[in-house]
Amino acid sequence: MSEPVAKNRVPVFFGLLVLCVLVLLVANVCLGSATFSLKELWAAVSGDESGSPVIAQIVLDFRLPRALTALFAGAALAVSGLLMQTVFRNPLADPFVLGVNSGASLGVAIVLLVLAPAGISLTQGLELSGHVLVVIAATGGAAVVLGIVLAFAQRVDVMSLLILGLMMSYAVGSIVSILMFYSMAERIQSFFSWSYGTFGNVAWSHMRVFGSCILAGAGASLFLCKPLDALLMGERFAESLGTNVKLVRFFCLGLASLLAGTVTGFCGPIGFLGIAAPHLCRYLFKTARHRVLIPASLLSGASIAMAADLVAKAPGFDGALPLNAVTALVGAPVIIAALIRQRNLRKAFG
């Protein structure tokens, strides 16, 4: 199933990943259009009255929640991608292969392209506050697609489920395209802005729901290490070990969709992380065992997300880059190098 775990490698790389997460978290808070020193950061976080109140407001109200959002979102997408790759035994599977992303896009498209009043500031003109309504629409769309997929999860085999998810993505994407074709240019612009993705839309008031959903999903995935290892050997082998394959598959898909749907609802569709982080962990730890890969994916996903957001903020400049473009630019070269050097990726999937 996998190469033997190099025991000396595990604690070393876990330590490096933890250090990487901490460094990137501090860097994300300190760096931006204005740069703050570690002393100014400590004064803001500790409530030191000698510090600048303006800096404290920027740090506490904007940069810290954004950095934590990137941390949580990256960890969630990484674990979601790992679960999907194991269930489908496919290295190209990611959280959006079952149509979760498409469902969220359809929900947002209905709000922004059909229900919203005209005008460039349409999301602010909606009742309930534009942002909250977009989050509800994205989460609801993802949940509807998730419900349909889970309804079929215990009736069809894994390959049929994968094809079903792809077909649903195409069908929902077509509906979105039709809505865009008949929409005003200003509304299409708002939809495109959402589709670029950002970690800057989650305030402290949203963090309770956002963080709780991700902590619950990520924590539950840690209890699936053994059945996931068994699934890598094939469903028949897993059943011979006493694993209830259909039930495990149902829970894995449910957790993956919960994690990806939550991130998409609050941050927009964030691509690449779900595929990249698990592959990076397999390369670093030289193992396919989930008791290592799940916590490693949490840390590596958080690191990649925070590194991408740091680049997207373009520290020292007034502008910003589209997050979805940066995630691919930051991580793709690393993953390509890892895959080329690993060579025997097929062994990791049985």
Side-chain angles (χ1 to χ4, degrees):
M1 178 177 68
S2 66
E3 298 176 11
V5 181
K7 292 185 178 180
N8 294 333
R9 174 187 295 264
V10 173
V12 171
F13 279 106
F14 267 122
L16 290 175
L17 284 175
V18 170
L19 180 62
C20 189
V21 168
L22 294 176
V23 169
L24 286 169
L25 181 63
V26 173
N28 264 269
V29 178
C30 289
L31 302 178
S33 55
T35 301
F36 304 138
S37 65
L38 291 177
K39 183 179 180 181
E40 291 172 322
L41 172 62
W42 175 250
V45 174
S46 64
D48 188 345
E49 294 182 355
S50 63
S52 168
V54 175
I55 293 177
Q57 184 178 13
I58 293 174
V59 168
L60 297 178
D61 292 348
F62 299 101
R63 291 195 180 178
L64 188 56
R66 177 169 179 154
L68 291 176
T69 300
L71 188 154
F72 281 125
L77 292 175
V79 171
S80 183
L82 176 63
L83 294 176
M84 298 292 291
Q85 290 171 12
T86 300
V87 168
F88 291 109
R89 300 179 68 197
N90 187 328
L92 296 180
D94 77 347
F96 302 134
V97 73
L98 291 182
V100 173
N101 183 37
S102 299
S105 298
L106 178 60
V108 174
I110 291 174
V111 169
L112 296 183
L113 303 179
V114 179
L115 301 180
I120 192 68
S121 60
L122 54 96
T123 57
Q124 283 74 34
L126 291 168
E127 294 182 0
L128 294 176
S129 157
H131 176 65
V132 173
L133 194 54
V134 168
V135 170
I136 294 173
T139 307
V144 169
V145 173
L146 164 65
I148 296 174
V149 171
L150 292 181
F152 285 98
Q154 299 201 50
R155 299 182 183 180
V156 299
D157 59 43
V158 66
M159 189 55 68
S160 299
L161 193 62
L162 180 62
I163 296 173
L164 175 67
L166 289 174
M167 293 303 103
M168 290 184 62
S169 295
Y170 285 128
V172 172
S174 298
I175 297 174
V176 173
S177 297
I178 293 172
L179 293 177
M180 293 175 64
F181 183 79
Y182 287 104
S183 293
M184 299 169 57
E186 293 84 355
R187 300 185 184 192
I188 295 174
Q189 179 62 40
S190 291
F191 182 73
F192 274 131
S193 297
W194 174 82
S195 67
Y196 289 146
T198 177
F199 294 131
N201 285 337
V202 181
W204 287 117
S205 58
H206 307 137
M207 193 63 76
R208 185 180 302 173
V209 175
F210 180 74
S212 298
C213 289
I214 290 176
L215 288 175
S221 68
L222 294 172
F223 293 96
L224 295 173
C225 293
K226 285 188 177 180
L228 285 171
D229 286 345
L231 279 181
L232 281 180
M233 303 300 291
E235 292 189 355
R236 290 186 178 180
F237 182 83
E239 287 176 343
S240 71
L241 295 178
T243 303
N244 188 331
V245 172
K246 291 184 178 180
L247 189 62
V248 171
R249 187 198 307 165
F250 180 85
F251 278 116
C252 287
L253 296 180
L255 291 176
S257 299
L258 170 67
L259 293 169
T262 301
V263 174
T264 305
F266 282 89
C267 306
I270 309 295
F272 181 77
L273 288 176
I275 293 181
H279 286 308
L280 182 61
C281 294
R282 291 188 187 96
Y283 169 68
L284 291 177
F285 290 90
K286 307 295 184 188
T287 183
R289 299 186 185 282
H290 289 81
R291 68 171 184 241
V292 174
L293 287 183
I294 290 178
S297 295
L298 287 169
L299 295 170
S300 64
S303 299
I304 295 174
M306 288 192 290
D309 193 45
L310 190 59
V311 175
K313 288 192 299 185
F317 297 92
D318 292 332
L321 299 172
L323 179 60
N324 262 328
V326 174
T327 53
L329 285 175
V330 168
V334 177
I335 302 308
I336 291 172
L339 292 176
I340 291 175
R341 294 192 63 178
Q342 194 171 6
R343 294 182 182 176
N344 57 346
L345 181 66
R346 189 178 179 85
K347 288 179 63 178
F349 291 90

PDB file of all heavy atoms in Angstrom, residues 68-99:
ATOM      1  N   LEU A  68      -6.649  33.854  10.148  1.00  0.00           N
ATOM      2  CA  LEU A  68      -7.257  32.644  10.712  1.00  0.00           C
ATOM      3  C   LEU A  68      -8.204  31.980   9.715  1.00  0.00           C
ATOM      4  O   LEU A  68      -8.306  30.750   9.665  1.00  0.00           O
ATOM      5  CB  LEU A  68      -8.010  33.001  12.004  1.00  0.00           C
ATOM      6  CG  LEU A  68      -7.137  33.413  13.194  1.00  0.00           C
ATOM      7  CD1 LEU A  68      -8.011  33.840  14.374  1.00  0.00           C
ATOM      8  CD2 LEU A  68      -6.226  32.256  13.613  1.00  0.00           C
ATOM      9  N   THR A  69      -8.887  32.792   8.921  1.00  0.00           N
ATOM     10  CA  THR A  69      -9.757  32.223   7.883  1.00  0.00           C
ATOM     11  C   THR A  69      -8.937  31.428   6.873  1.00  0.00           C
ATOM     12  O   THR A  69      -9.329  30.324   6.467  1.00  0.00           O
ATOM     13  CB  THR A  69     -10.518  33.349   7.162  1.00  0.00           C
ATOM     14  OG1 THR A  69     -11.311  34.058   8.103  1.00  0.00           O
ATOM     15  CG2 THR A  69     -11.409  32.781   6.073  1.00  0.00           C
ATOM     16  N   ALA A  70      -7.802  31.983   6.453  1.00  0.00           N
ATOM     17  CA  ALA A  70      -6.924  31.258   5.527  1.00  0.00           C
ATOM     18  C   ALA A  70      -6.436  29.959   6.155  1.00  0.00           C
ATOM     19  O   ALA A  70      -6.393  28.906   5.500  1.00  0.00           O
ATOM     20  CB  ALA A  70      -5.746  32.137   5.132  1.00  0.00           C
ATOM     21  N   LEU A  71      -6.066  30.020   7.436  1.00  0.00           N
ATOM     22  CA  LEU A  71      -5.594  28.812   8.145  1.00  0.00           C
ATOM     23  C   LEU A  71      -6.679  27.730   8.161  1.00  0.00           C
ATOM     24  O   LEU A  71      -6.434  26.581   7.775  1.00  0.00           O
ATOM     25  CB  LEU A  71      -5.183  29.198   9.560  1.00  0.00           C
ATOM     26  CG  LEU A  71      -4.486  28.154  10.426  1.00  0.00           C
ATOM     27  CD1 LEU A  71      -3.622  28.846  11.483  1.00  0.00           C
ATOM     28  CD2 LEU A  71      -5.470  27.227  11.124  1.00  0.00           C
ATOM     29  N   PHE A  72      -7.885  28.108   8.595  1.00  0.00           N
ATOM     30  CA  PHE A  72      -8.977  27.130   8.677  1.00  0.00           C
ATOM     31  C   PHE A  72      -9.374  26.613   7.286  1.00  0.00           C
ATOM     32  O   PHE A  72      -9.604  25.419   7.093  1.00  0.00           O
ATOM     33  CB  PHE A  72     -10.198  27.762   9.354  1.00  0.00           C
ATOM     34  CG  PHE A  72     -10.103  27.831  10.849  1.00  0.00           C
ATOM     35  CD1 PHE A  72     -10.251  29.022  11.527  1.00  0.00           C
ATOM     36  CD2 PHE A  72      -9.860  26.692  11.592  1.00  0.00           C
ATOM     37  CE1 PHE A  72     -10.161  29.090  12.900  1.00  0.00           C
ATOM     38  CE2 PHE A  72      -9.767  26.748  12.976  1.00  0.00           C
ATOM     39  CZ  PHE A  72      -9.913  27.953  13.628  1.00  0.00           C
ATOM     40  N   ALA A  73      -9.481  27.538   6.323  1.00  0.00           N
ATOM     41  CA  ALA A  73      -9.934  27.137   4.987  1.00  0.00           C
ATOM     42  C   ALA A  73      -8.937  26.202   4.315  1.00  0.00           C
ATOM     43  O   ALA A  73      -9.322  25.191   3.702  1.00  0.00           O
ATOM     44  CB  ALA A  73     -10.155  28.384   4.132  1.00  0.00           C
ATOM     45  N   GLY A  74      -7.649  26.520   4.423  1.00  0.00           N
ATOM     46  CA  GLY A  74      -6.637  25.660   3.816  1.00  0.00           C
ATOM     47  C   GLY A  74      -6.631  24.274   4.432  1.00  0.00           C
ATOM     48  O   GLY A  74      -6.552  23.260   3.724  1.00  0.00           O
ATOM     49  N   ALA A  75      -6.727  24.217   5.762  1.00  0.00           N
ATOM     50  CA  ALA A  75      -6.761  22.918   6.443  1.00  0.00           C
ATOM     51  C   ALA A  75      -7.996  22.122   6.022  1.00  0.00           C
ATOM     52  O   ALA A  75      -7.909  20.910   5.760  1.00  0.00           O
ATOM     53  CB  ALA A  75      -6.757  23.135   7.956  1.00  0.00           C
ATOM     54  N   ALA A  76      -9.135  22.794   5.932  1.00  0.00           N
ATOM     55  CA  ALA A  76     -10.377  22.100   5.569  1.00  0.00           C
ATOM     56  C   ALA A  76     -10.323  21.545   4.152  1.00  0.00           C
ATOM     57  O   ALA A  76     -10.688  20.390   3.907  1.00  0.00           O
ATOM     58  CB  ALA A  76     -11.554  23.070   5.706  1.00  0.00           C
ATOM     59  N   LEU A  77      -9.866  22.350   3.204  1.00  0.00           N
ATOM     60  CA  LEU A  77      -9.815  21.891   1.815  1.00  0.00           C
ATOM     61  C   LEU A  77      -8.804  20.760   1.638  1.00  0.00           C
ATOM     62  O   LEU A  77      -9.026  19.841   0.838  1.00  0.00           O
ATOM     63  CB  LEU A  77      -9.466  23.068   0.899  1.00  0.00           C
ATOM     64  CG  LEU A  77     -10.544  24.145   0.781  1.00  0.00           C
ATOM     65  CD1 LEU A  77     -10.042  25.319  -0.055  1.00  0.00           C
ATOM     66  CD2 LEU A  77     -11.821  23.576   0.164  1.00  0.00           C
ATOM     67  N   ALA A  78      -7.700  20.816   2.389  1.00  0.00           N
ATOM     68  CA  ALA A  78      -6.694  19.762   2.277  1.00  0.00           C
ATOM     69  C   ALA A  78      -7.236  18.417   2.758  1.00  0.00           C
ATOM     70  O   ALA A  78      -7.078  17.392   2.095  1.00  0.00           O
ATOM     71  CB  ALA A  78      -5.456  20.150   3.083  1.00  0.00           C
ATOM     72  N   VAL A  79      -7.882  18.409   3.921  1.00  0.00           N
ATOM     73  CA  VAL A  79      -8.446  17.153   4.436  1.00  0.00           C
ATOM     74  C   VAL A  79      -9.591  16.682   3.548  1.00  0.00           C
ATOM     75  O   VAL A  79      -9.735  15.480   3.279  1.00  0.00           O
ATOM     76  CB  VAL A  79      -8.930  17.347   5.884  1.00  0.00           C
ATOM     77  CG1 VAL A  79      -9.708  16.120   6.355  1.00  0.00           C
ATOM     78  CG2 VAL A  79      -7.748  17.575   6.795  1.00  0.00           C
ATOM     79  N   SER A  80     -10.389  17.622   3.071  1.00  0.00           N
ATOM     80  CA  SER A  80     -11.474  17.243   2.171  1.00  0.00           C
ATOM     81  C   SER A  80     -10.929  16.576   0.911  1.00  0.00           C
ATOM     82  O   SER A  80     -11.459  15.559   0.443  1.00  0.00           O
ATOM     83  CB  SER A  80     -12.275  18.512   1.807  1.00  0.00           C
ATOM     84  OG  SER A  80     -13.377  18.188   1.000  1.00  0.00           O
ATOM     85  N   GLY A  81      -9.860  17.146   0.346  1.00  0.00           N
ATOM     86  CA  GLY A  81      -9.245  16.544  -0.837  1.00  0.00           C
ATOM     87  C   GLY A  81      -8.665  15.168  -0.551  1.00  0.00           C
ATOM     88  O   GLY A  81      -8.789  14.247  -1.362  1.00  0.00           O
ATOM     89  N   LEU A  82      -8.032  15.009   0.614  1.00  0.00           N
ATOM     90  CA  LEU A  82      -7.466  13.704   0.985  1.00  0.00           C
ATOM     91  C   LEU A  82      -8.565  12.649   1.083  1.00  0.00           C
ATOM     92  O   LEU A  82      -8.398  11.516   0.592  1.00  0.00           O
ATOM     93  CB  LEU A  82      -6.729  13.836   2.321  1.00  0.00           C
ATOM     94  CG  LEU A  82      -6.150  12.545   2.898  1.00  0.00           C
ATOM     95  CD1 LEU A  82      -5.087  11.971   1.972  1.00  0.00           C
ATOM     96  CD2 LEU A  82      -5.579  12.792   4.297  1.00  0.00           C
ATOM     97  N   LEU A  83      -9.683  12.994   1.712  1.00  0.00           N
ATOM     98  CA  LEU A  83     -10.789  12.044   1.825  1.00  0.00           C
ATOM     99  C   LEU A  83     -11.313  11.653   0.445  1.00  0.00           C
ATOM    100  O   LEU A  83     -11.580  10.471   0.183  1.00  0.00           O
ATOM    101  CB  LEU A  83     -11.921  12.665   2.653  1.00  0.00           C
ATOM    102  CG  LEU A  83     -11.626  12.937   4.130  1.00  0.00           C
ATOM    103  CD1 LEU A  83     -12.801  13.651   4.783  1.00  0.00           C
ATOM    104  CD2 LEU A  83     -11.337  11.643   4.875  1.00  0.00           C
ATOM    105  N   MET A  84     -11.463  12.636  -0.431  1.00  0.00           N
ATOM    106  CA  MET A  84     -11.981  12.347  -1.769  1.00  0.00           C
ATOM    107  C   MET A  84     -11.018  11.454  -2.554  1.00  0.00           C
ATOM    108  O   MET A  84     -11.433  10.519  -3.244  1.00  0.00           O
ATOM    109  CB  MET A  84     -12.202  13.661  -2.523  1.00  0.00           C
ATOM    110  CG  MET A  84     -13.221  14.583  -1.892  1.00  0.00           C
ATOM    111  SD  MET A  84     -14.882  13.910  -1.980  1.00  0.00           S
ATOM    112  CE  MET A  84     -15.162  14.038  -3.718  1.00  0.00           C
ATOM    113  N   GLN A  85      -9.724  11.733  -2.468  1.00  0.00           N
ATOM    114  CA  GLN A  85      -8.742  10.937  -3.213  1.00  0.00           C
ATOM    115  C   GLN A  85      -8.713   9.493  -2.720  1.00  0.00           C
ATOM    116  O   GLN A  85      -8.537   8.559  -3.501  1.00  0.00           O
ATOM    117  CB  GLN A  85      -7.360  11.580  -3.091  1.00  0.00           C
ATOM    118  CG  GLN A  85      -7.245  12.887  -3.857  1.00  0.00           C
ATOM    119  CD  GLN A  85      -5.951  13.634  -3.572  1.00  0.00           C
ATOM    120  OE1 GLN A  85      -5.026  13.089  -2.966  1.00  0.00           O
ATOM    121  NE2 GLN A  85      -5.886  14.887  -4.004  1.00  0.00           N
ATOM    122  N   THR A  86      -8.887   9.304  -1.424  1.00  0.00           N
ATOM    123  CA  THR A  86      -8.887   7.944  -0.876  1.00  0.00           C
ATOM    124  C   THR A  86     -10.164   7.201  -1.237  1.00  0.00           C
ATOM    125  O   THR A  86     -10.114   6.036  -1.658  1.00  0.00           O
ATOM    126  CB  THR A  86      -8.731   7.991   0.657  1.00  0.00           C
ATOM    127  OG1 THR A  86      -7.502   8.621   0.986  1.00  0.00           O
ATOM    128  CG2 THR A  86      -8.747   6.589   1.238  1.00  0.00           C
ATOM    129  N   VAL A  87     -11.311   7.854  -1.095  1.00  0.00           N
ATOM    130  CA  VAL A  87     -12.582   7.186  -1.391  1.00  0.00           C
ATOM    131  C   VAL A  87     -12.640   6.764  -2.859  1.00  0.00           C
ATOM    132  O   VAL A  87     -13.056   5.656  -3.185  1.00  0.00           O
ATOM    133  CB  VAL A  87     -13.759   8.115  -1.040  1.00  0.00           C
ATOM    134  CG1 VAL A  87     -15.065   7.565  -1.616  1.00  0.00           C
ATOM    135  CG2 VAL A  87     -13.887   8.260   0.458  1.00  0.00           C
ATOM    136  N   PHE A  88     -12.211   7.661  -3.746  1.00  0.00           N
ATOM    137  CA  PHE A  88     -12.272   7.355  -5.175  1.00  0.00           C
ATOM    138  C   PHE A  88     -11.006   6.672  -5.684  1.00  0.00           C
ATOM    139  O   PHE A  88     -10.949   6.287  -6.849  1.00  0.00           O
ATOM    140  CB  PHE A  88     -12.511   8.637  -5.975  1.00  0.00           C
ATOM    141  CG  PHE A  88     -13.888   9.213  -5.769  1.00  0.00           C
ATOM    142  CD1 PHE A  88     -14.069  10.374  -5.057  1.00  0.00           C
ATOM    143  CD2 PHE A  88     -15.006   8.565  -6.277  1.00  0.00           C
ATOM    144  CE1 PHE A  88     -15.336  10.897  -4.849  1.00  0.00           C
ATOM    145  CE2 PHE A  88     -16.270   9.072  -6.076  1.00  0.00           C
ATOM    146  CZ  PHE A  88     -16.442  10.242  -5.365  1.00  0.00           C
ATOM    147  N   ARG A  89      -9.993   6.579  -4.810  1.00  0.00           N
ATOM    148  CA  ARG A  89      -8.699   6.007  -5.194  1.00  0.00           C
ATOM    149  C   ARG A  89      -8.220   6.658  -6.489  1.00  0.00           C
ATOM    150  O   ARG A  89      -7.751   6.004  -7.424  1.00  0.00           O
ATOM    151  CB  ARG A  89      -8.794   4.485  -5.351  1.00  0.00           C
ATOM    152  CG  ARG A  89      -9.217   3.775  -4.061  1.00  0.00           C
ATOM    153  CD  ARG A  89      -9.323   2.294  -4.258  1.00  0.00           C
ATOM    154  NE  ARG A  89      -8.035   1.694  -4.498  1.00  0.00           N
ATOM    155  CZ  ARG A  89      -7.874   0.487  -5.022  1.00  0.00           C
ATOM    156  NH1 ARG A  89      -8.933  -0.217  -5.376  1.00  0.00           N
ATOM    157  NH2 ARG A  89      -6.660  -0.005  -5.201  1.00  0.00           N
ATOM    158  N   ASN A  90      -8.352   7.969  -6.514  1.00  0.00           N
ATOM    159  CA  ASN A  90      -8.020   8.747  -7.704  1.00  0.00           C
ATOM    160  C   ASN A  90      -7.203   9.963  -7.279  1.00  0.00           C
ATOM    161  O   ASN A  90      -7.689  10.799  -6.517  1.00  0.00           O
ATOM    162  CB  ASN A  90      -9.313   9.194  -8.401  1.00  0.00           C
ATOM    163  CG  ASN A  90      -9.050   9.862  -9.729  1.00  0.00           C
ATOM    164  OD1 ASN A  90      -8.036  10.524  -9.928  1.00  0.00           O
ATOM    165  ND2 ASN A  90      -9.965   9.684 -10.662  1.00  0.00           N
ATOM    166  N   PRO A  91      -5.944  10.088  -7.760  1.00  0.00           N
ATOM    167  CA  PRO A  91      -5.106  11.210  -7.323  1.00  0.00           C
ATOM    168  C   PRO A  91      -5.583  12.565  -7.810  1.00  0.00           C
ATOM    169  O   PRO A  91      -5.093  13.591  -7.341  1.00  0.00           O
ATOM    170  CB  PRO A  91      -3.732  10.864  -7.923  1.00  0.00           C
ATOM    171  CG  PRO A  91      -4.026   9.965  -9.069  1.00  0.00           C
ATOM    172  CD  PRO A  91      -5.241   9.177  -8.680  1.00  0.00           C
ATOM    173  N   LEU A  92      -6.514  12.591  -8.776  1.00  0.00           N
ATOM    174  CA  LEU A  92      -7.016  13.859  -9.304  1.00  0.00           C
ATOM    175  C   LEU A  92      -8.334  14.287  -8.657  1.00  0.00           C
ATOM    176  O   LEU A  92      -8.878  15.335  -9.017  1.00  0.00           O
ATOM    177  CB  LEU A  92      -7.200  13.765 -10.827  1.00  0.00           C
ATOM    178  CG  LEU A  92      -5.910  13.536 -11.626  1.00  0.00           C
ATOM    179  CD1 LEU A  92      -6.228  13.455 -13.114  1.00  0.00           C
ATOM    180  CD2 LEU A  92      -4.914  14.659 -11.370  1.00  0.00           C
ATOM    181  N   ALA A  93      -8.861  13.476  -7.747  1.00  0.00           N
ATOM    182  CA  ALA A  93     -10.115  13.853  -7.074  1.00  0.00           C
ATOM    183  C   ALA A  93      -9.857  15.019  -6.132  1.00  0.00           C
ATOM    184  O   ALA A  93      -8.804  15.112  -5.498  1.00  0.00           O
ATOM    185  CB  ALA A  93     -10.669  12.660  -6.306  1.00  0.00           C
ATOM    186  N   ASP A  94     -10.827  15.908  -6.041  1.00  0.00           N
ATOM    187  CA  ASP A  94     -10.715  17.024  -5.103  1.00  0.00           C
ATOM    188  C   ASP A  94     -12.094  17.332  -4.534  1.00  0.00           C
ATOM    189  O   ASP A  94     -13.075  16.700  -4.920  1.00  0.00           O
ATOM    190  CB  ASP A  94     -10.060  18.244  -5.771  1.00  0.00           C
ATOM    191  CG  ASP A  94     -11.011  18.998  -6.679  1.00  0.00           C
ATOM    192  OD1 ASP A  94     -12.082  18.461  -6.993  1.00  0.00           O
ATOM    193  OD2 ASP A  94     -10.673  20.124  -7.062  1.00  0.00           O
ATOM    194  N   PRO A  95     -12.213  18.275  -3.590  1.00  0.00           N
ATOM    195  CA  PRO A  95     -13.504  18.498  -2.930  1.00  0.00           C
ATOM    196  C   PRO A  95     -14.630  18.867  -3.882  1.00  0.00           C
ATOM    197  O   PRO A  95     -15.798  18.721  -3.542  1.00  0.00           O
ATOM    198  CB  PRO A  95     -13.201  19.671  -1.987  1.00  0.00           C
ATOM    199  CG  PRO A  95     -11.745  19.620  -1.766  1.00  0.00           C
ATOM    200  CD  PRO A  95     -11.148  19.106  -3.022  1.00  0.00           C
ATOM    201  N   PHE A  96     -14.300  19.350  -5.057  1.00  0.00           N
ATOM    202  CA  PHE A  96     -15.346  19.849  -5.928  1.00  0.00           C
ATOM    203  C   PHE A  96     -15.747  18.852  -7.012  1.00  0.00           C
ATOM    204  O   PHE A  96     -16.549  19.165  -7.878  1.00  0.00           O
ATOM    205  CB  PHE A  96     -14.886  21.157  -6.576  1.00  0.00           C
ATOM    206  CG  PHE A  96     -14.525  22.203  -5.562  1.00  0.00           C
ATOM    207  CD1 PHE A  96     -13.366  22.944  -5.680  1.00  0.00           C
ATOM    208  CD2 PHE A  96     -15.351  22.436  -4.464  1.00  0.00           C
ATOM    209  CE1 PHE A  96     -13.036  23.904  -4.730  1.00  0.00           C
ATOM    210  CE2 PHE A  96     -15.031  23.388  -3.517  1.00  0.00           C
ATOM    211  CZ  PHE A  96     -13.877  24.124  -3.660  1.00  0.00           C
ATOM    212  N   VAL A  97     -15.173  17.647  -6.962  1.00  0.00           N
ATOM    213  CA  VAL A  97     -15.470  16.685  -8.012  1.00  0.00           C
ATOM    214  C   VAL A  97     -16.922  16.201  -7.930  1.00  0.00           C
ATOM    215  O   VAL A  97     -17.490  15.762  -8.925  1.00  0.00           O
ATOM    216  CB  VAL A  97     -14.489  15.488  -7.932  1.00  0.00           C
ATOM    217  CG1 VAL A  97     -14.818  14.607  -6.742  1.00  0.00           C
ATOM    218  CG2 VAL A  97     -14.526  14.670  -9.218  1.00  0.00           C
ATOM    219  N   LEU A  98     -17.526  16.287  -6.761  1.00  0.00           N
ATOM    220  CA  LEU A  98     -18.914  15.846  -6.625  1.00  0.00           C
ATOM    221  C   LEU A  98     -19.911  16.965  -6.895  1.00  0.00           C
ATOM    222  O   LEU A  98     -21.106  16.801  -6.678  1.00  0.00           O
ATOM    223  CB  LEU A  98     -19.154  15.279  -5.225  1.00  0.00           C
ATOM    224  CG  LEU A  98     -18.466  13.961  -4.933  1.00  0.00           C
ATOM    225  CD1 LEU A  98     -18.813  13.478  -3.534  1.00  0.00           C
ATOM    226  CD2 LEU A  98     -18.840  12.909  -5.954  1.00  0.00           C
ATOM    227  N   GLY A  99     -19.454  18.083  -7.369  1.00  0.00           N
ATOM    228  CA  GLY A  99     -20.368  19.165  -7.721  1.00  0.00           C
ATOM    229  C   GLY A  99     -20.647  20.140  -6.600  1.00  0.00           C
ATOM    230  O   GLY A  99     -21.530  20.985  -6.730  1.00  0.00           O
TER     231      GLY A  99
END
